[in-house]
Amino acid sequence: MGILLSKETRVVVQGITGNEGTFWTERMLAAGTNIAGGVTPGKGGTQVHGVPVYNTVQEVVEKHGAEASVIFVPPPFAKDATFEALEAGLKLIVLLVDGLPVQDALEVRTYAREVGAYVIGPNNPGMATIGEAMLGFIPVWLSYVYQPGNIGVIARSGSLINEVCSHIVAAGMGISTCIGLGGDPVPGTTLTEVLALFQQDEHTQGVVIIGEVGGSMEEDAADFMKVGGFTKPAVAFIAGRSAPPGKKMGHAGAIMTLGRGSVQSKESALSAAGVKIAQRPSEVGRLLKDIV
Amino acid sequence: MGILLSKETRVVVQGITGNEGTFWTERMLAAGTNIAGGVTPGKGGTQVHGVPVYNTVQEVVEKHGAEASVIFVPPPFAKDATFEALEAGLKLIVLLVDGLPVQDALEVRTYAREVGAYVIGPNNPGMATIGEAMLGFIPVWLSYVYQPGNIGVIARSGSLINEVCSHIVAAGMGISTCIGLGGDPVPGTTLTEVLALFQQDEHTQGVVIIGEVGGSMEEDAADFMKVGGFTKPAVAFIAGRSAPPGKKMGHAGAIMTLGRGSVQSKESALSAAGVKIAQRPSEVGRLLKDIV
Amino acid sequence: MKLYEYEGKELFKKIGIPVPRGIMVTSAAAAGEAAAQLGTEVVIKSQILQGGRGKAGGIKFAATTGEAREAAAAILGSQLKAETVSKLLVEEKLAIARELYLAITIDAVKASPLIMASAAGGMDIEEVARETPERIVREAVPIFRGLLPFQARRVAYRLGLAGKEASAFTDILLKLYRVFRFYDAELVEINPLVVTDDGKMVAADAKVNIYDGALFRQIDFVKGPERYDNEREYRAARYGLGYVKLEGNIGVLCTGAGLTMTVLDLINYYGGKPANFLEFGGATYKNSYYAMQLVLEDPDVKVILINTFGLVARADVISQGLAQAIKELKPTQPIIASIRGTGEEEAREILRKEVGLEPYANVEEAVRAAVKLAGG
Amino acid sequence: MKLYEYEGKELFKKIGIPVPRGIMVTSAAAAGEAAAQLGTEVVIKSQILQGGRGKAGGIKFAATTGEAREAAAAILGSQLKAETVSKLLVEEKLAIARELYLAITIDAVKASPLIMASAAGGMDIEEVARETPERIVREAVPIFRGLLPFQARRVAYRLGLAGKEASAFTDILLKLYRVFRFYDAELVEINPLVVTDDGKMVAADAKVNIYDGALFRQIDFVKGPERYDNEREYRAARYGLGYVKLEGNIGVLCTGAGLTMTVLDLINYYGGKPANFLEFGGATYKNSYYAMQLVLEDPDVKVILINTFGLVARADVISQGLAQAIKELKPTQPIIASIRGTGEEEAREILRKEVGLEPYANVEEAVRAAVKLAGG
């Protein structure tokens, strides 16, 4: 049911003894997440909400087995924690950190690709397979926002996930897996990569894409759809039509994007690929009902 | 006929306009080597012994096609030249340089493995498939030393290749491919890797291993034979029984080798794996005749 | 964090990238002295962070110290691209034969540093990119291996350079990559990279943007108030808030960039005008008090519109900050709020009890109400 | 190139690896002053390049400045492991609680830097490695990615360290890796890495070996005559020749390490004794003149034995150098030569015509002849 994460997935919580780690571990457990162990260097041997704590990810993997990790460590240590998880063989890493240096993000994404793993984030709210498990900050216990179902949700911005999911539920539908890709310049996983996973997931009947101004992930995804990489029904909402213009990055920014990156460019690319475009979040539910 | 190199292999000569590059290009051409182009940055557009010279390896590959490279550049530029060849997609690089920093050698070998290529060397005399092609300094035109045949020859030290091959020829046999792995601490290609190639080569009926004191390549190769990785008849000569003891590398050297590295350890490991041991180079021919 | 040209050139000089001889000054008199010291014709360049200063009159040439003083006096203190010019770089005037373009930035799709270079540098480089994209050479650098000389040379040859020019360019590019990596840059750019009449290659300009999220370890750089459009944006950043002043009258407080942008879009959709962009999501939700303070400072604000649908930003904690701000700062403007997400029950309770605020059921209702109150 | 302990510790100090307070001296008087300045009990350590100086009496403790002077006087000028002691490191005496072992070297098989560490450091570490190899923790470091903190921590935990000790060890290891990489080392070793009574971690010794083949870019280090066993080996190295003095009377000149070792083996096999190891292969074949000069300097040499079967070392060029040397230096000893490989026809011609030397047909014949002449 859904992609990447299920109630069977054994999870490591890195940075479990910090304030955030401890607070959200309780919520993740309540959401059904199968937490195998926590890690905080130097705190091995303790417990957090009944979860055993170890010094290294490798120890959790050796003692309990694990496939995934959710990382609650501050920016200076985030790259190290992610590499530790990847080197220990974990194939799904939810990297929540806000403030990862962009060149660290390059290394993280490159290494993740080398070892065939998915890093979701950084600077994201996490992900959840509704009714099964949650990694991060998704408030799956809000029943008017999250109900299990067969719609996949992919957002660049975390704050819109709740808003849009509430409209899906209001329209009488439910969600398989929702994923926040994060708002940083170099995401560990792209929209296209998640669409490819949803394409393979029999349980997911359609997806909602929550995009925003800047970058070219939405246009790249549209290209992917045009070559048949993703063929299920899809609705998109793109935020940022009236956003203040970004501070320009020399001439390089203009040369690199060359006409991609605006809300208009994203909407027309996705529309040309067969995606229905919502003008407001509240339209998502209706549009979805028409096509799924 | 032989391994890695044949008369069809299209070769790039890097550093072709230097003294050594120019001198040996003529010899390699005379030995039948199919040289597609030479490279010296800044000298593109010129010619050396009729071979067109380009600024980059990529240009040779695009214009003529190439599978291999032989590198005649000095130590400060050798890593760069090797990476250039590997990045251009070449799968056989003969890296002759004497004096490559050992940490550069680590990078070279690591990258070669990543892209599935063979770097032969550094600090080696090259290789030849007798009667077809030669890369480096092997004097294949000395007919009492080199005759085509079905014996593969692998040497760590270049200077013994001639000596041992002359005894093979004196015994009435000939050589398929001979390869000098080089005398540096971190060779781009190991004895074991070459044995695996000779195992696959139908033309090669037996091999001669020319080893020497230090390192553990011969013992590793013996391990490989014991698990069936190499099963053809083999003769070995190991030099260095009376070599002055190496200057010890702290305790680390002793801890790392732990009983490997001596002539005795190599001879007994190889002998236990079924290899005939020659006490002198002149015994190689007779021992070979007994088993091939 | 954008560096000024003169700061970027200091980094270049340190690593060995050739730059013109130059002196940074802050007065017309000093500009005259600098010109005298350089002993050549000079160019006087306003030090601002936005691009396009040349076309806006921020660069002047001077043949004498008197001219230098006059030119400096004319530029200093003027408004250029919304910045007040307080620093000038006085440099020897180069004898320009040709202008190249060279930049390293980040390719998010390939997840690698990206070299972009062109033989057609100068002010029209964006047009070159649009009209003749093949004249822009692009090379992605593998992040772990780094930029090796052969790849730098390849860029030089692809630009059509040869001989000493190819060598000089290769050397500059290798050093520029070290600047890029060492200083956690998201952009380093030299435009133009000048080839002089006597065949030298010189970085006539320098753009270096340090990635803000790496400033914690780039301790040589402090992003002070002069790097922000105004004092309020600077103060917002110190609290971890993203604030941008806009033209309208609806004061916006939101969690998360996506929801904030959506609220601005909805305000426009329903015919209103936002007074600002203000995002206090993520790890900074405790600063809702400061967020309210910032919005209230703006005399244009007629209505306050609060929208949260938090994830890590817990609604109850946000509401505590808001309630405190309302009690202390006593805003006279009406407040419209939609507060949802983790802790939303407690949040509503806090706002109701402490400041008598009744939250709206959803974002769109709240936006419509705010637009109506603002007279939209 | 091996660094002396005091040099290694300077690198450590620069990068922040804790070392004992210490002063390098070259006289007994200065040792006394250093002890006074340090103001504690001291240890006086002879600065030599070979290991095992402790067991050989090269390390002494002193409680007073007088004792320090005496101890220094006793060690200075003495012969230790074939080195004459000319430098001493006077250091504060540590209060040692435990001794760890830490090294980074090169794993040729995995082609990666290799960390080796043990909680059982000190002089018996090799025995620990033989008897209880599981007490040596090994971690290979991926060369492109480098050593990351998590891997350094893992080594600490695998050694059984915890708390502040684990943190201190992790910090030292990360810095030691930077020393290893930055200085092109083939070995960096701290033995013992001391845990003091008050819980600090201090590098009580420092071994840093720079890879000779990287000295061209490690321009802070020059391998001077003091790093060689004797002046002749130093001179040989300056010509690019590998020379080691041995006990016998057959002066050996060969191309290539493998052939040279084989010739020594054959000399022994046939009952002779080599006077030296001398290899002049590779790119240095033009130095055959200097090679002959070196061998002739050794008064033990009764016969000269030359064997080449060159590849890049061209026989004709080698023979020119040899002929010149024979003509100029006029050796009185008999010369036996087997000269083969690229250019061998011209080579034989040169030797015959210029110095009347008739080369042997192969190595073994030449060796047998030399052994016979040497009286073996």
Side-chain angles (χ1 to χ4, degrees):
Chain A
M1 306 302 209
I3 60 170
L4 291 171
L5 178 67
S6 77
K7 60 178 182 282
E8 268 78 42
T9 311
R10 290 169 297 183
V11 174
V12 182
V13 180
Q14 290 176 259
I16 192 169
T17 61
N19 285 342
E20 298 276 308
T22 300
F23 179 88
W24 291 101
T25 292
E26 193 172 14
R27 301 280 172 132
M28 291 190 291
L29 287 168
T33 311
N34 180 3
I35 300 182
V39 170
T40 299
K43 296 280 171 67
T46 60
Q47 288 208 336
V48 170
H49 300 306
V51 173
V53 178
Y54 296 89
N55 286 324
T56 68
V57 174
Q58 199 186 32
E59 283 177 274
V60 183
V61 172
E62 283 168 5
K63 300 248 166 71
H64 305 279
E67 294 83 33
S69 174
V70 56
I71 298 183
F72 291 89
V73 310
F77 314 111
K79 171 188 141 185
D80 186 48
T82 311
F83 273 73
E84 179 175 4
L86 290 168
E87 199 250 18
L90 305 187
K91 294 303 178 198
L92 171 66
I93 320 286
V94 173
L95 179 55
L96 303 162
V97 65
D98 178 11
L100 184 73
V102 67
Q103 299 199 7
D104 286 4
L106 294 180
E107 296 192 27
V108 162
R109 174 154 169 82
T110 302
Y111 185 45
R113 280 183 179 175
E114 280 177 16
V115 298
Y118 291 90
V119 171
I120 311 292
N123 191 13
N124 80 327
M127 66 178 294
T129 295
I130 308 305
E132 300 209 30
M134 186 275 281
L135 299 180
F137 312 129
I138 314 270
V140 290
W141 46 88
L142 294 176
S143 59
Y144 72 96
V145 186
Y146 294 99
Q147 289 293 335
N150 54 18
I151 303 300
V153 177
I154 318 164
R156 276 176 63 189
S157 171
S159 56
L160 278 175
I161 287 191
N162 281 343
E163 178 67 22
V164 170
C165 285
S166 73
H167 293 294
I168 296 171
V169 169
M173 311 182 78
I175 292 141
S176 59
T177 298
C178 66
I179 293 191
L181 300 177
D184 276 8
V186 179
T189 300
T190 64
L191 187 50
T192 300
E193 288 166 327
V194 177
L195 286 174
L197 292 170
F198 275 129
Q199 177 75 9
Q200 298 301 316
D201 178 40
E202 288 178 20
H203 185 68
T204 297
Q205 304 293 314
V207 303
V208 174
I209 295 165
I210 309 169
E212 62 185 56
V213 68
S216 68
M217 275 214 284
E218 295 83 355
E219 289 92 333
D220 297 340
D223 291 343
F224 181 64
M225 292 175 185
K226 280 182 203 157
V227 298
F230 183 80
T231 57
K232 297 183 180 182
V235 173
F237 170 74
I238 313 292
R241 189 178 304 273
S242 46
K247 314 270 155 109
K248 215 169 83 176
M249 293 240 295
H251 294 286
I255 295 174
M256 197 162 55
T257 50
L258 275 182
R260 298 196 150 196
S262 71
V263 173
Q264 287 71 15
S265 132
K266 291 169 193 304
E267 286 184 349
S268 61
L270 287 169
S271 182
V275 177
K276 300 293 169 200
I277 308 298
Q279 294 300 314
R280 290 168 293 153
S282 58
E283 290 177 11
V284 167
R286 182 180 51 78
L287 288 171
L288 208 49
K289 269 199 153 168
D290 289 350
I291 56 175
V292 177
Chain B
M1 304 305 210
I3 60 170
L4 292 170
L5 177 67
S6 76
K7 60 178 181 281
E8 267 79 43
T9 310
R10 290 168 295 184
V11 173
V12 182
V13 180
Q14 290 176 260
I16 192 169
T17 60
N19 285 342
E20 297 276 309
T22 300
F23 180 88
W24 291 100
T25 292
E26 193 172 14
R27 301 280 172 133
M28 292 190 291
L29 286 168
T33 311
N34 180 1
I35 300 182
V39 171
T40 298
K43 297 278 173 66
T46 60
Q47 286 207 340
V48 170
H49 299 305
V51 174
V53 178
Y54 296 89
N55 286 324
T56 69
V57 174
Q58 199 185 32
E59 283 176 276
V60 183
V61 172
E62 284 168 4
K63 301 249 166 69
H64 304 279
E67 294 83 33
S69 174
V70 56
I71 298 183
F72 291 88
V73 310
F77 314 110
K79 172 187 140 186
D80 185 47
T82 311
F83 273 72
E84 179 175 3
L86 291 168
E87 199 250 18
L90 304 186
K91 294 303 178 196
L92 171 67
I93 320 286
V94 173
L95 179 56
L96 303 162
V97 65
D98 178 11
L100 185 72
V102 68
Q103 299 199 8
D104 287 3
L106 293 181
E107 295 191 29
V108 162
R109 174 153 169 82
T110 302
Y111 185 44
R113 280 183 178 176
E114 280 178 16
V115 299
Y118 291 90
V119 171
I120 311 293
N123 190 13
N124 81 326
M127 66 178 293
T129 295
I130 308 304
E132 300 208 30
M134 187 275 280
L135 300 181
F137 313 127
I138 314 269
V140 290
W141 46 87
L142 294 176
S143 58
Y144 71 96
V145 186
Y146 294 100
Q147 289 293 336
N150 54 20
I151 303 298
V153 177
I154 319 165
R156 276 176 63 190
S157 172
S159 55
L160 278 174
I161 286 191
N162 281 344
E163 177 67 23
V164 170
C165 286
S166 73
H167 294 293
I168 295 171
V169 169
M173 311 182 77
I175 292 140
S176 58
T177 298
C178 67
I179 293 191
L181 301 176
D184 276 7
V186 179
T189 300
T190 65
L191 187 50
T192 301
E193 289 165 328
V194 177
L195 286 173
L197 293 170
F198 276 129
Q199 177 75 9
Q200 298 301 316
D201 178 40
E202 286 178 19
H203 185 69
T204 297
Q205 304 291 315
V207 304
V208 174
I209 296 166
I210 309 169
E212 63 185 57
V213 68
S216 69
M217 272 213 287
E218 295 83 355
E219 290 93 332
D220 298 340
D223 292 344
F224 181 64
M225 292 174 185
K226 280 182 204 157
V227 299
F230 182 80
T231 57
K232 297 183 180 181
V235 173
F237 170 74
I238 313 291
R241 191 178 303 274
S242 45
K247 313 271 156 107
K248 214 168 82 177
M249 292 240 297
H251 294 285
I255 295 175
M256 197 161 57
T257 51
L258 276 182
R260 298 195 149 196
S262 72
V263 173
Q264 289 72 15
S265 133
K266 291 171 193 305
E267 286 184 347
S268 60
L270 287 168
S271 183
V275 177
K276 300 294 169 201
I277 308 298
Q279 294 300 314
R280 290 169 293 154
S282 58
E283 290 178 12
V284 167
R286 180 180 53 76
L287 288 171
L288 208 49
K289 269 200 152 165
D290 289 349
I291 55 175
V292 177
Chain C
M1 170 179 162
K2 290 181 180 179
L3 301 193
Y4 291 102
E5 176 190 9
Y6 78 92
E7 294 173 313
K9 283 183 171 169
E10 278 167 20
L11 300 185
F12 285 7
K13 224 188 293 184
K14 197 152 64 171
I15 209 159
I17 296 173
V19 295
R21 291 184 304 126
I23 297 163
M24 201 278 284
V25 302
T26 56
S27 72
E33 283 163 34
Q37 197 178 323
L38 292 170
T40 60
E41 281 188 61
V42 295
V43 54
I44 296 181
K45 304 166 89 178
S46 57
Q47 298 296 290
I48 60 172
L49 297 172
Q50 304 309 311
R53 66 186 165 169
K55 285 177 184 164
I59 297 179
K60 291 186 189 296
F61 294 91
T64 67
T65 59
E67 280 179 30
R69 261 195 308 274
E70 276 166 41
I75 305 176
L76 274 171
S78 69
Q79 288 286 317
L80 262 188
K81 300 263 162 185
E83 293 181 53
T84 306
V85 180
S86 64
K87 292 170 183 168
L88 301 174
L89 183 58
V90 182
E91 280 186 342
E92 61 174 334
K93 189 183 167 191
L94 298 173
I96 297 176
R98 285 180 298 128
E99 296 187 327
L100 313 179
Y101 174 87
L102 177 60
I104 306 174
T105 181
I106 283 170
D107 184 335
V109 178
K110 290 211 178 83
S112 66
L114 178 70
I115 297 163
M116 295 192 295
S118 177
M123 289 203 280
D124 298 326
I125 184 68
E126 288 180 33
E127 195 184 317
V128 170
R130 263 192 312 275
E131 306 296 322
T132 49
E134 71 281 2
R135 297 187 68 189
I136 309 284
V137 170
R138 288 154 194 257
E139 286 268 346
V141 182
I143 186 79
F144 292 120
R145 198 200 318 154
L147 180 64
L148 291 177
F150 82 85
Q151 193 174 16
R153 281 197 305 270
R154 184 163 63 200
V155 176
Y157 295 129
R158 288 179 63 193
L159 292 179
L161 300 176
K164 280 186 186 169
E165 284 183 8
S167 302
F169 180 89
T170 300
D171 186 61
I172 289 170
L173 176 51
L174 286 166
K175 286 170 174 167
L176 192 66
Y177 186 79
R178 283 168 61 197
V179 170
F180 178 82
R181 279 293 268 166
F182 189 81
Y183 294 109
D184 270 311
E186 55 187 351
L187 170 73
V188 289
E189 187 180 66
I190 304 175
N191 187 35
L193 176 59
V194 161
V195 182
T196 61
D197 284 346
D198 56 352
K200 294 205 177 101
M201 210 168 272
V202 183
D205 197 0
K207 270 204 177 47
V208 177
N209 295 8
I210 313 290
Y211 187 70
D212 279 3
L215 288 173
F216 68 84
R217 65 186 180 196
Q218 290 296 336
I219 54 176
D220 289 343
F221 302 99
V222 176
K223 193 170 176 180
E226 74 283 3
R227 316 267 165 177
Y228 292 85
D229 283 353
N230 54 59
E231 190 273 343
R232 208 183 291 154
E233 288 186 17
Y234 168 63
R235 204 144 31 89
R238 301 263 300 181
Y239 301 141
L241 311 173
Y243 176 92
V244 182
K245 175 77 181 102
L246 300 173
E247 301 298 311
N249 58 9
I250 300 175
V252 172
L253 289 88
C254 277
T255 54
L259 185 59
T260 309
M261 287 194 287
T262 302
V263 166
L264 297 195
D265 291 348
L266 287 171
I267 289 172
N268 280 313
Y269 182 86
Y270 287 113
K273 283 200 166 166
N276 63 274
F277 175 100
L278 174 54
E279 189 254 303
F280 63 110
T284 64
Y285 57 93
K286 286 165 193 162
N287 289 327
S288 50
Y289 177 92
Y290 299 117
M292 179 66 90
Q293 202 174 34
L294 280 165
V295 169
L296 290 179
E297 281 178 21
D298 180 355
D300 298 340
V301 168
K302 278 198 185 163
V303 186
I304 293 163
L305 171 62
I306 304 166
N307 277 293
T308 76
F309 207 152
L311 296 124
V312 68
R314 283 157 56 189
D316 51 335
V317 181
I318 290 169
S319 296
Q320 275 160 1
L322 291 173
Q324 192 192 344
I326 292 167
K327 281 194 277 187
E328 290 182 16
L329 307 170
K330 300 187 176 58
T332 54
Q333 299 93 328
I335 301 174
I336 307 290
S338 162
I339 308 278
R340 291 182 297 169
T342 306
E344 61 181 36
E345 295 297 330
E346 302 90 319
R348 285 192 198 117
E349 201 58 21
I350 289 164
L351 290 178
R352 242 181 237 129
K353 279 200 177 155
E354 304 228 348
V355 291
L357 197 62
E358 187 58 46
Y360 279 67
N362 65 55
V363 173
E364 286 198 39
E365 272 185 37
V367 169
R368 276 199 302 264
V371 169
K372 201 170 163 193
L373 281 168
Chain D
M1 170 179 165
K2 289 181 181 180
L3 301 193
Y4 291 104
E5 177 191 8
Y6 78 92
E7 294 173 313
K9 282 182 171 170
E10 277 167 21
L11 300 185
F12 286 7
K13 222 189 293 185
K14 197 152 61 169
I15 210 160
I17 296 174
V19 295
R21 291 184 304 126
I23 298 163
M24 201 277 284
V25 302
T26 55
S27 73
E33 282 164 34
Q37 197 179 321
L38 293 169
T40 60
E41 283 187 59
V42 296
V43 54
I44 296 180
K45 305 166 89 177
S46 57
Q47 298 297 290
I48 60 173
L49 297 172
Q50 302 309 312
R53 68 187 163 167
K55 285 176 182 163
I59 296 179
K60 291 188 189 294
F61 293 91
T64 66
T65 59
E67 281 180 29
R69 263 194 308 272
E70 279 166 38
I75 306 177
L76 275 170
S78 69
Q79 287 286 318
L80 262 188
K81 300 262 163 185
E83 295 181 52
T84 306
V85 180
S86 64
K87 291 171 183 167
L88 301 174
L89 182 59
V90 182
E91 279 186 343
E92 61 175 332
K93 188 183 166 194
L94 297 174
I96 297 175
R98 286 180 296 129
E99 296 187 328
L100 313 179
Y101 174 86
L102 177 60
I104 306 173
T105 181
I106 282 169
D107 184 335
V109 178
K110 290 210 178 83
S112 65
L114 178 71
I115 296 163
M116 295 194 295
S118 177
M123 289 202 280
D124 299 326
I125 184 67
E126 289 181 32
E127 196 184 317
V128 170
R130 265 192 309 276
E131 305 296 323
T132 48
E134 71 282 1
R135 297 187 70 191
I136 310 284
V137 170
R138 288 154 194 257
E139 287 268 348
V141 181
I143 187 78
F144 292 120
R145 198 201 318 154
L147 181 63
L148 290 178
F150 83 85
Q151 193 173 16
R153 281 197 304 272
R154 184 163 65 200
V155 176
Y157 295 129
R158 287 179 63 192
L159 292 178
L161 300 176
K164 279 184 186 169
E165 284 183 9
S167 301
F169 180 89
T170 301
D171 186 60
I172 288 170
L173 176 50
L174 286 166
K175 286 170 174 166
L176 192 65
Y177 186 79
R178 283 168 61 195
V179 170
F180 178 82
R181 278 293 267 165
F182 190 82
Y183 294 108
D184 270 310
E186 56 186 352
L187 171 73
V188 290
E189 187 180 66
I190 304 175
N191 187 35
L193 176 59
V194 161
V195 182
T196 61
D197 284 347
D198 55 351
K200 294 203 177 104
M201 209 167 272
V202 183
D205 196 2
K207 271 205 177 49
V208 177
N209 295 9
I210 313 290
Y211 186 71
D212 279 1
L215 288 173
F216 69 82
R217 65 186 179 196
Q218 290 294 336
I219 53 176
D220 289 344
F221 303 99
V222 176
K223 194 169 177 181
E226 75 283 4
R227 317 267 164 177
Y228 293 85
D229 284 354
N230 55 58
E231 191 272 343
R232 208 182 294 152
E233 288 187 15
Y234 167 64
R235 205 146 29 91
R238 300 262 299 183
Y239 302 141
L241 311 173
Y243 176 93
V244 182
K245 172 80 181 101
L246 300 171
E247 301 298 311
N249 57 8
I250 301 176
V252 172
L253 289 87
C254 279
T255 54
L259 185 60
T260 310
M261 287 195 287
T262 301
V263 166
L264 299 194
D265 290 350
L266 288 171
I267 290 172
N268 281 312
Y269 183 87
Y270 287 113
K273 283 200 167 166
N276 62 275
F277 175 101
L278 173 55
E279 189 253 303
F280 63 111
T284 63
Y285 58 93
K286 287 167 192 161
N287 290 328
S288 51
Y289 177 91
Y290 299 117
M292 179 65 90
Q293 200 174 36
L294 280 164
V295 169
L296 290 178
E297 281 177 22
D298 180 356
D300 299 342
V301 168
K302 279 198 185 161
V303 186
I304 292 164
L305 171 61
I306 303 167
N307 277 294
T308 76
F309 208 152
L311 297 125
V312 68
R314 285 159 52 188
D316 50 337
V317 182
I318 290 169
S319 295
Q320 275 160 359
L322 291 173
Q324 193 192 344
I326 292 166
K327 281 194 277 188
E328 291 182 16
L329 306 170
K330 302 185 176 56
T332 54
Q333 299 95 326
I335 301 175
I336 307 290
S338 162
I339 307 277
R340 293 183 296 171
T342 306
E344 61 181 37
E345 294 299 331
E346 301 90 319
R348 287 195 196 113
E349 202 57 22
I350 289 164
L351 290 178
R352 244 181 236 127
K353 281 200 175 156
E354 305 229 346
V355 291
L357 197 63
E358 186 58 47
Y360 280 67
N362 65 55
V363 173
E364 287 196 39
E365 273 185 36
V367 168
R368 276 199 303 265
V371 169
K372 201 171 166 192
L373 280 169

